[in-house]
Every structure is written in C-alpha cells, then in structure tokens.
Amino acid sequence: MRVKQLLVLPRLPERIKKLQELANNLWYSWNWDLVKLFIRLDSDMWERTYQNPVEMLTRLPQHVLQRAADDEAFVVTLDRVYDKYQNYLRQKKWFGYKYGDLKQNTIAYFSLEYGLDTGLPVYSGGLGVLSGDTLKAASDLGLPMVAMGLLYRYGYFRQTLSKDGWQQERYEENDWYHMPVTLVKDDEDRPLRVSINLEDVPVQIQIWKVMVGEIPLYLLDTNMPENSSKAREITSVLYGGDKNMRIRQEIVLGIGGVKALRALGIKPVMYHSNEGHSWFLTLERLRNLMQQDGLSFREAAAYVWSTTVFTTHTPVPAGNEQFDPVLVHRYLGRIVGQLGISWQEFLSIGRVNPDDEREAFGMTVAALKFSAFCNGVSELHGSVSREMWHNIWPNLPKEEIPIKSITNGVHYPSWISHDMIDLYESYFGPQFTERPGSPEIWEKVSTIPDVELWRVHNRRRERLVFFARKRLKQQFIRRGASHMDIQQAEQLLNPATLTIGFARRFSTYKRGNLLFYDVERLAAMLNDHDYPVQVIISGKAHPLDTPGKEIIKDIIQRAGEERFRNRVIFLEDYDINVGRYLVQGADIWLNNPRRPQEASGTSGMKAALNGVLNVSVLDGWWDEGFSDDAGFKIGNGEDYESVETQDRMDAEAMYNVLEREVIPIFYDRDDNGVPREWVAKMKGSIFMAGQRFSAHRMLMDYTNHFYVPAIHASTKLAGDNFALCRDVTSWEERVSRSWNDIHISDIELPELGSTVYVGQRIPIKMHVHLGAITPDDVRVEIVAGRINSQDELLNYTPTGATIDGTSPAAGNGTYVYQGEVECLESGRFGLTARVIPKNENLVHTRKPKLISWW
C-alpha cells in the first residue's frame, strides 16, 4: 500500500497568526508572558501536550482559536509579546558590543543531547539540560553559534513504577511535525540530505532545524525509507543499545554533523565538543582540510587542534566512552586510510599509553589530545581531571596539565519561577532582563523586603505541593490503586512544612537512598510534632542500571511504610517540568554524591537562584559555591578510601546538619511569621548563584578564554592558504625530532651556605644542551618553591632564564643560561630547571613529551 503524505497546518485567524511563529521558536520556553497566552487558550490542553505549543495549536478546535482572535485583550497582549520577541532578535547583544568585529566567525557546538523544554524530548538529564541552557545563553549574549545534535525518534524513556517500586520504561514515538522543529529543504524544496558510509553501506541523513532564540540547532535523522532498518534505528533512542549502536550514533553526530554544516553552507571557524561523544567530527574536519585545502595530516591536525574546544564532564575513568579497536576499525578503517596515517598511529590518538596494545580507544583521550582548549566543569572537577589524565602529559606537573576549569552555569530565565522573576524585576530594575550576565544586578537582592521574599517563596512551596498531589493522583490511578488511596493523594503533604527536594539521575554514586541510612533517626526527624519535615524525590535510572533501579525500589518501599506515608513521596517520570517545580518550590535542595564523583551538578544552582537552600556534600560546584551565609554543607570535603566509611560518615554529617541547623533555623519565626535568619540565607544564596553560576557567566568565560583565542588562531593559521599553519607544523616537526637531545647538564649556585632568608634573591647559571634546536625555539625556566616531604615542589611559579652574554657557550649546541629566584617564604626550599618549546603562533606549548627537566 502506498500513502501520499500531506502536512496539514492549523488555520489560525489572521489576528493571532503570530502565535504560529512564536510557537516555533524555543524562545517561548523562557518567556512567561508568551506561555501565559498558550495557557489562556486552554490550560488543560497545554498540559496534555506536554507544554508543546506547536502540537497544542494543531489540536485546539477552530472555535477556540476564533474566540481568542475576537478577544481584544488577548490580541493586544499577543502583539506586545510579539514586539518583545522581534526586538529581542534585532537588538545588539553582549558579543556584538565586545567582539563586534568577530561576529562573522561561526562557532559550532556539538552535543549528543539537548534539554531545551518538556515539549522537545531529545535529552535524558544534566548533560542535555546544560547543552540547552548553553544555547539559550548564547542567544541572549548574541554569540555567532550553531549547534548540532541527533533527532531521536523515541527520545529518552518515560518512567513508570510498578506497585513494588521497580522502574519500567516506556518509549513514545515523537511526532516531529507537531513539535517546534522544521525539516530543512534545499533550493528545489526537497529535504536536504547528506550521506555517510557505515560498513561500506551509504546511510542517508536528513536535517531538522530548531530555533533557540537566535541560535539554530540542527538535528540529524536517519529514520528514512531509503535507509535499511538497521540504519533507521541509529537515531531511534537516546543512550539505547550496545556499543555497536553507540559508535554508529557518534559517527552520525560527528562525521555527519560536519557534512551537514557544509551542505547548509555554514563554515565554522572553530568547534566545541560537549563531552567526547562527538570527537569523530575531528576525522571529517581532517579529511576536508587535506582533500580541499591540500594540507598534510600533520598540518591539518595542527589547525584542528588550535580551533577545538573540548569540555569533559566525567570525573571517573570508567565513565568515559571507550570502544574496542576492532569495532572502531570496522566503521572507521576506510576513513583513517584516507588520512595517510597507519592504523596503529590512529589508535595511539585514543590511548593514554600509545604503546599499550590492550588499551581501548578512548573518546575523551582523543579529544584531549586534539583540543588546544580543554576544561572540566567546576574548579574541583578541573583538578580531578588533571589528576586523572596527567599520564597523557607524563613529564608535566599536574598543576600545569592543560585542562582548565570553567564552572557550569544555568540559564536563569528558564529556571527561576515567574513569581520570583516578577519580584526580581520589581527590585532589580530593567537591567535584570536587558543585561543578562551582569553580576552587579544581583547585589540588589538585599533591597527585597524579607516579608515579600518569604511570601513569594511560600507561594512556590504551595504550588509544588499542589503539583505533587496532582502527579501522585495520576500515578495511583495508573497503578490501579484503591479509591481511598487516590482520594488520600489529594491530602498528602503540607504546604507549610519544611520541604526537602531531591531529584536527579539515580546512579549509585549519587546515593539517592543515603537519607534512609538510619531509618529510625529519619522517621523521628520527619514526624516531629512541632517541627515536621517532608521529602519529595524524583529521578530516573538508566534502563541498564540495575543498582540504580534497586535504589528507587528501596525508596518506594520505604515511602510505603506507615511512618513515611505522608512524609516521603516519589514523583514518577522526572523531566524538565518536574525539575522546575522542585527547584522553585522546595525549601532545601539535598545533594549527597560520593565526593569527588560529581563533576559539577547544576540542579543546586537552579534551586539557589530561587532562594532554595542547598544542603550538599562539598563536591562539584558546591565546593566553590558554599559559604555559611548561602546554604549548608555536609562534612568538610573529606575523601575516604572505604565506601562504607564514607557513607556512614556522610550520613551522620547529613543528619546532624538537618537536625541542628536546618530545621531550627527554618522554624525560628518572628512576630510576623518570617524566619529572618533563613531569609538572610535565601538572599545570600540568590546573590551567590546569580553572580557566579549563571549560564551567561559560563558562556562569557568560554568566549573570553576559549572561543575568541580559537577564532584568532583560525584567522592566523588559515590565512594565505594556510601558510602559517604549514610553517608552525614544520617547526613543530623539526623541534620534536631533536627534542630528546636536550638536557640540562648543570645548575650553578653561588656559595650560600646551608641557610638563606626570606626575600633573598639567588642568582643561577645553567648549562643547557639544545643540540640542533636553536635558543629561539625554546624557553628555559627556573622552577622554585617550597618542597614537601617527598621533595615535590609546591606553589611554584616558573621564572624565565636568558642566555648569559658574559659566559662563553661550550659549543656543539650548548648554551649558558642565567636567572634568579627569590625565596618568598620560610621552610624547605627547592629548585630545578626545565626546557619547554616556545612559539608565539601556538595557542600553548603544553604538548605531550615536549618538556625536558634537569
């Protein structure tokens, strides 16, 4: 049977046709005035369509649309919102003011998932939500960015729980023609497609477009009749299938993504890989540079390295993507052959130890080696990453490993409740919306009267409780609960009770059941007659994560005990909408991962911006965000070798802080019913998160420290038919060939005796053999500072040395260098010297193995 396809669009009356355009831009997801218009049309339909305005407009009866068109107040409001939208698109933004001359340089951002809004389910959790917030902030700041991802037929799973608490997964097919996505067409109105080869079989890829404010997000789709069933499944499920499916998805994203940009006529000057999933884009970039621009592999690699940003999110080695070399060869052997390098040389790119034949091909390792700009997602995670990957740079001190820290942030217009937004706008002024990312605006939080802030927060807690009751009732009906249980769901929770929120992916290291470590103590705390506490929990475990599912089951069974029935509830099917209600309405945001396994965590930032106080282990972002006036800490940042000891100690610390600090402060009210000390902490929390943990600040950091230097590197290296790129590559090859000949033969000190004093300057001479390398090619440095009991240098600052013009060189490539160091503090003091490459045309010279020590 053959079927002729037609796309039927709703017939919107002329006066409200603007709704169609507004519904097709994710700008709506952070603009409450527009959302209110959709809710005014039909609030029930808004919820039934998962807050998807495109689908909602297609399902509304014509008479409802006509009624809105005849409503003068509705039309006036729509016109005002539309004018706001048009002004947003036209106005000059931060990037234009600061880097206007770079506006024509496109930044390509690649991620395997994007959490933009409930109605576009192409995300699973924190990584995707971060990607979504990145695009929204990029739009607010006016960055010249395009984004690339995959269009998943089923997205991530919908979660239901059986009566005994076991997670069950349900996959719902996405109807893209009723979502804010558009199929990209060519000049002849045919779907624009690109093709890649998988196992020597062509796979067709079509391209869909999502507008996120000013930022276009392109999503790749293999679900087409022209493809085999095996190929059509590639973009079926996010994080589904085995390693074979994962590598196929990542090839489509990486290689297919670069091809798609080229087909779209978009020529990025730099690329940002959000996690290692998209590293295969490097191969397509290399191939293009070699085939189209005539570069050698080394020259192409130098250009790609200089124009690539890589963000790692995983603080444990096992969590980083690896593939068996046999599987990699199966899919990529042909393209690697086109790069002019051997298969073993290619495998060495993805190995920490290039000579270890047993090591799998690591996507994170490859990305670190091929990116001049690398970062972890919090200060602590950056340090953990430098420790974890220091063997890639074996002779470089861990403090100098080229993995920086850019702490994650959240797009606050998407996560702060509309009630709180109204309050902030009243006291912060127009700058709050006109100048996103300006840290000084948050200083005005102190001007908000305590009574007003507390009133708004109470309203949000009430909304959370009513939302939770509604969801619970739906859960009970779905499970076939008794009529009495369903009716009782409408009475569960108390809108005035101290409410703890806990919502995240249920991975074992996040310890979702740590709160139940001592159930007797917990029950006594929650059921205190004068100072009761209630807990709302939500989250999903990966379909293959049985231990994570066991944690959820354990919580459900505990929550079913009589002593916890009205004190602990679990909301099924955690998504962006559930997350919003929780971070906007809880009093406490609980976070208790095993330190240091939380790379960043952003849910606590969202909570803090709403005045919700964090109670958290000092891990991820909270390790740098915590202060006594902005929240509470669990422990003091201790690390334990024993998991059992860590769980026991952290549980004890958690109970102590809840019992001795959190609960007493929350219920300590003045004559007006306001907990003054609590509200002061709320203001401290809002100020801290607003100033330091917004996605706007994060994108400004990326722009200032990574994007702009990468754009400048691209301009320099690609100019004059890549002349400078060829020169730099030739220089690096020459230096690398002779590097092992470098050695520092001697360090000469004056007669000082065994004791020197603080502030004393010590002159130093060194004999440095450079061999065929010239002094202009290197920087000779003196490294001095305090030493520990293992004779390791601490807190050092390298000092450059210069050739001594008064001492004759020994000849044969040996030179005498001189310099001096100052003893800045008392204690054991040590010094050494080293030689590193020097080339002003390289982004940095921290290359593996190119460093020589005395």
Side-chain angles (χ1 to χ4, degrees):
M1 181 179 69
R2 294 184 296 176
V3 178
K4 185 71 174 179
Q5 296 186 19
L6 299 172
L7 178 60
V8 181
L9 298 175
R11 187 185 298 276
L12 268 66
E14 189 66 32
R15 299 186 75 197
I16 62 170
K17 271 192 173 179
K18 297 169 183 175
L19 277 175
Q20 192 74 54
E21 180 182 349
L22 292 168
N24 278 281
N25 191 313
L26 268 294
W27 181 81
Y28 72 75
S29 67
W30 70 93
N31 283 272
W32 175 244
D33 288 343
L34 177 53
V35 170
K36 282 193 295 185
L37 285 174
F38 290 118
I39 293 174
R40 279 174 64 178
L41 288 172
D42 189 327
S43 59
D44 290 337
M45 183 68 76
W46 178 249
E47 294 300 327
R48 286 201 301 273
T49 58
Y50 296 107
Q51 303 177 11
N52 172 6
V54 175
E55 181 180 1
M56 179 182 182
L57 291 178
T58 64
R59 292 178 58 180
L60 284 175
Q62 197 66 37
H63 72 86
V64 173
L65 297 172
Q66 189 59 53
R67 185 178 64 211
D70 295 337
D71 183 341
E72 197 65 33
F74 185 94
V75 174
V76 169
T77 304
L78 173 58
D79 289 343
R80 178 175 54 81
V81 171
Y82 186 77
D83 288 344
K84 177 183 176 183
Y85 167 69
Q86 289 295 320
N87 182 61
Y88 173 85
L89 296 180
R90 287 192 303 264
Q91 69 186 15
K92 190 174 182 180
K93 300 179 175 69
W94 173 81
F95 189 89
Y97 282 111
K98 188 165 185 179
Y99 300 110
D101 58 327
L102 301 180
K103 189 68 174 176
Q104 302 306 312
N105 296 276
T106 301
I107 302 160
Y109 184 88
F110 278 58
S111 182
L112 202 57
E113 55 172 306
Y114 292 89
L116 291 158
D117 201 45
T118 306
L120 189 61
V122 289
Y123 68 96
S124 71
L127 180 69
V129 172
L130 174 73
S131 300
D133 280 11
T134 296
L135 301 193
K136 294 174 183 179
S139 177
D140 290 344
L141 297 174
L143 267 66
M145 179 180 282
V146 299
M148 187 65 64
L150 299 183
L151 188 86
Y152 300 100
R153 181 180 177 188
Y154 296 103
Y156 205 49
F157 69 89
R158 309 303 299 260
Q159 177 199 55
T160 56
L161 300 177
S162 64
K163 288 184 178 180
D164 66 352
W166 190 253
Q167 175 180 288
Q168 298 169 317
E169 297 89 26
R170 184 181 79 257
Y171 291 91
E172 296 182 356
E173 186 169 1
N174 291 315
D175 181 359
W176 302 118
Y177 293 97
H178 291 96
M179 290 184 176
V181 299
T182 306
L183 187 62
V184 178
K185 305 287 187 69
D186 62 18
D187 293 338
E188 298 179 7
D189 202 38
R190 297 175 303 187
L192 182 65
R193 295 178 177 178
V194 296
S195 177
I196 65 171
N197 286 321
L198 292 176
E199 297 180 286
D200 295 328
V201 176
V203 174
Q204 296 293 312
I205 303 170
Q206 61 186 4
I207 308 165
W208 299 75
K209 183 179 181 181
V210 179
M211 287 306 300
V212 186
E214 291 186 351
I215 306 298
L217 164 61
Y218 296 100
L219 300 174
L220 307 179
D221 176 21
T222 64
N223 182 30
M224 291 176 289
E226 295 85 347
N227 287 330
S228 67
S229 58
K230 184 178 180 180
R232 296 183 72 168
E233 291 175 356
I234 295 173
T235 55
S236 58
V237 178
L238 172 60
Y239 298 140
D242 55 12
K243 285 287 187 181
N244 185 56
M245 175 62 78
R246 285 295 289 271
I247 195 171
R248 289 159 67 87
Q249 287 185 334
E250 295 178 16
I251 290 171
V252 168
L253 173 62
I255 295 176
V258 174
K259 287 191 170 188
L261 289 174
R262 190 164 64 249
L264 289 160
I266 299 171
K267 299 178 180 179
V269 299
M270 58 149 298
Y271 287 74
H272 183 170
S273 290
N274 189 37
E275 259 301 356
H277 308 126
S278 59
W279 182 79
F280 293 135
L281 70 83
T282 303
L283 302 182
E284 185 63 17
R285 292 185 69 195
L286 290 169
R287 181 163 61 178
N288 289 342
L289 289 163
M290 294 173 69
Q291 294 180 355
Q292 297 177 12
D293 298 293
L295 300 185
S296 69
F297 174 80
R298 302 292 171 212
E299 291 163 349
Y303 179 80
V304 168
W305 176 82
S306 300
T307 56
T308 300
V309 175
F310 170 60
T311 299
T312 176
H313 293 262
T314 310
V316 290
N320 290 271
E321 190 86 86
Q322 290 185 315
F323 293 113
D324 188 302
V326 175
L327 186 64
V328 179
H329 188 272
R330 176 175 156 191
Y331 287 106
L332 297 173
R334 179 182 293 268
I335 188 173
V336 171
Q338 296 172 356
L339 299 180
I341 59 174
S342 69
W343 181 247
Q344 290 304 315
E345 190 174 359
F346 171 74
L347 288 180
S348 71
I349 295 171
R351 288 171 168 165
V352 174
N353 181 357
D355 300 321
D356 185 356
E357 295 291 331
R358 298 169 299 174
E359 187 177 345
F361 187 90
M363 299 291 278
T364 299
V365 176
L368 288 169
K369 289 183 178 181
F370 259 79
S371 305
F373 306 93
C374 303
N375 71 285
V377 290
S378 68
E379 290 291 341
L380 179 59
H381 180 235
S383 176
V384 169
S385 297
R386 289 188 290 274
E387 172 71 31
M388 186 163 60
W389 300 115
H390 77 273
N391 284 332
I392 296 176
W393 298 268
N395 295 322
L396 198 61
K398 293 171 186 175
E399 297 81 5
E400 297 184 62
I401 298 297
I403 303 175
K404 307 299 182 184
S405 295
I406 294 182
T407 303
N408 284 344
V410 298
H411 184 249
Y412 61 78
S414 295
W415 295 102
I416 300 176
S417 72
H418 59 86
D419 300 291
M420 203 66 83
I421 288 281
D422 290 343
L423 183 65
Y424 294 167
E425 287 179 343
S426 298
Y427 287 91
F428 294 180
Q431 285 189 334
F432 181 66
T433 53
E434 294 172 1
R435 295 184 59 194
S438 299
E440 63 273 9
I441 62 175
W442 297 95
E443 296 172 359
K444 296 183 180 180
V445 69
S446 61
T447 65
I448 301 175
D450 290 358
V451 174
E452 285 194 52
L453 182 59
W454 185 241
R455 184 189 305 121
V456 171
H457 179 66
N458 282 335
R459 188 182 308 138
R460 290 312 309 184
R461 191 190 316 106
E462 292 171 1
R463 293 185 193 275
L464 169 60
V465 167
F466 297 149
F467 171 79
R469 288 172 176 173
K470 182 178 178 180
R471 296 277 294 210
L472 280 170
K473 185 175 179 180
Q474 294 170 347
Q475 291 174 198
F476 288 171
I477 292 172
R478 188 165 51 248
R479 293 181 199 168
S482 67
H483 178 72
M484 180 177 296
D485 285 341
I486 293 171
Q487 291 299 111
Q488 287 179 345
E490 298 179 351
Q491 304 301 319
L492 291 175
L493 305 176
N494 186 329
T497 294
L498 170 62
T499 303
I500 296 174
F502 182 97
R504 52 192 36 86
R505 177 168 56 91
F506 272 79
S507 182
T508 51
Y509 82 86
K510 292 178 181 286
R511 299 188 295 185
N513 55 355
L514 187 68
L515 187 62
F516 297 87
Y517 189 88
D518 185 338
V519 291
E520 300 299 330
R521 190 171 178 181
L522 176 63
M525 180 172 60
L526 299 187
N527 291 292
D528 187 282
H529 181 269
D530 297 318
Y531 307 123
V533 180
Q534 58 197 11
V535 185
I536 302 177
I537 302 171
S538 189
K540 297 176 179 179
H542 187 278
L544 301 180
D545 185 2
T546 299
K549 291 182 177 182
E550 292 287 356
I551 293 175
I552 293 176
K553 181 180 178 181
D554 179 56
I555 291 172
I556 296 299
Q557 293 181 346
R558 289 292 185 190
E561 296 177 15
E562 187 61 36
R563 55 185 169 176
F564 294 127
R565 281 181 65 86
N566 193 34
R567 289 288 178 255
V568 179
I569 67 165
F570 190 101
L571 299 182
E572 294 178 5
D573 204 24
Y574 181 51
D575 62 8
I576 285 176
N577 191 40
V578 175
R580 278 201 186 106
Y581 273 96
L582 282 165
V583 299
Q584 293 170 359
D587 298 297
I588 285 296
W589 195 253
L590 183 63
N591 184 42
N592 42 246
R594 287 197 182 98
R595 176 186 160 98
Q597 296 185 41
E598 184 84 286
S600 174
T602 55
S603 61
M605 302 175 190
K606 299 160 191 168
L609 286 162
N610 284 281
V612 177
L613 301 184
N614 279 268
V615 174
S616 177
V617 170
L618 293 175
D619 197 9
W621 81 281
W622 194 237
D623 187 61
E624 61 196 88
F626 167 75
S627 64
D628 284 326
D629 60 357
F632 306 91
K633 62 179 178 177
I634 297 173
N636 294 296
E638 302 92 346
D639 295 323
Y640 300 92
E641 292 186 5
S642 165
V643 168
E644 292 76 16
T645 301
Q646 186 173 19
D647 289 351
R648 183 179 70 254
M649 299 300 291
D650 284 350
E652 177 69 20
M654 176 182 60
Y655 292 135
N656 286 342
V657 74
L658 289 172
E659 293 167 345
R660 300 174 185 177
E661 298 181 58
V662 173
I663 297 172
I665 295 174
F666 180 83
Y667 284 108
D668 182 18
R669 311 293 173 87
D670 66 7
D671 293 340
N672 295 316
V674 178
R676 297 289 177 176
E677 186 177 353
W678 187 274
V679 173
K681 283 181 175 287
M682 288 177 64
K683 291 182 178 180
S685 173
I686 294 166
F687 174 74
M688 170 271 299
Q691 277 218 325
R692 299 167 54 195
F693 298 103
S694 75
H696 301 99
R697 186 274 313 153
M698 175 187 72
L699 258 293
M700 289 177 179
D701 284 351
Y702 275 117
T703 300
N704 294 330
H705 302 304
F706 286 0
Y707 295 166
V708 169
I711 290 171
H712 287 320
S714 173
T715 302
K716 286 199 308 181
L717 294 174
D720 193 18
N721 191 28
F722 293 89
L724 183 58
C725 183
R726 299 175 200 270
D727 289 345
V728 169
T729 304
S730 176
W731 172 88
E732 188 170 348
E733 290 178 343
R734 176 175 58 82
V735 168
S736 298
R737 279 195 304 268
S738 303
W739 192 264
N740 289 337
D741 295 334
I742 294 177
H743 62 270
I744 303 170
S745 60
D746 192 20
I747 295 180
E748 299 177 2
L749 301 178
E751 291 295 332
L752 298 171
S754 59
T755 303
V756 294
Y757 295 92
V758 172
Q760 187 171 342
R761 305 184 75 87
I762 305 172
I764 296 170
K765 284 189 178 183
M766 297 164 289
H767 294 265
V768 181
H769 179 75
L770 299 179
I773 297 175
T774 72
D776 291 337
D777 295 327
V778 299
R779 174 178 167 86
V780 178
E781 295 179 333
I782 305 166
V783 182
R786 282 195 308 114
I787 53 176
N788 60 19
S789 58
Q790 283 78 44
D791 293 337
E792 296 172 329
L793 285 165
L794 306 173
N795 303 323
Y796 62 85
T797 300
T799 303
T802 59
I803 291 180
D804 184 358
T806 65
S807 300
N812 298 320
T814 299
Y815 303 85
V816 178
Y817 279 79
Q818 66 176 359
E820 65 177 16
V821 295
E822 181 179 2
C823 301
L824 297 176
E825 53 185 319
S826 58
R828 298 178 67 228
F829 187 81
L831 61 85
T832 187
R834 69 187 186 186
V835 183
I836 59 175
K838 182 180 70 174
N839 190 313
E840 62 181 12
N841 294 312
L842 282 175
V843 174
H844 66 75
T845 56
R846 299 297 191 262
K847 296 296 189 78
K849 299 183 180 179
L850 293 188
I851 184 170
S852 294
W853 292 87
W854 177 49

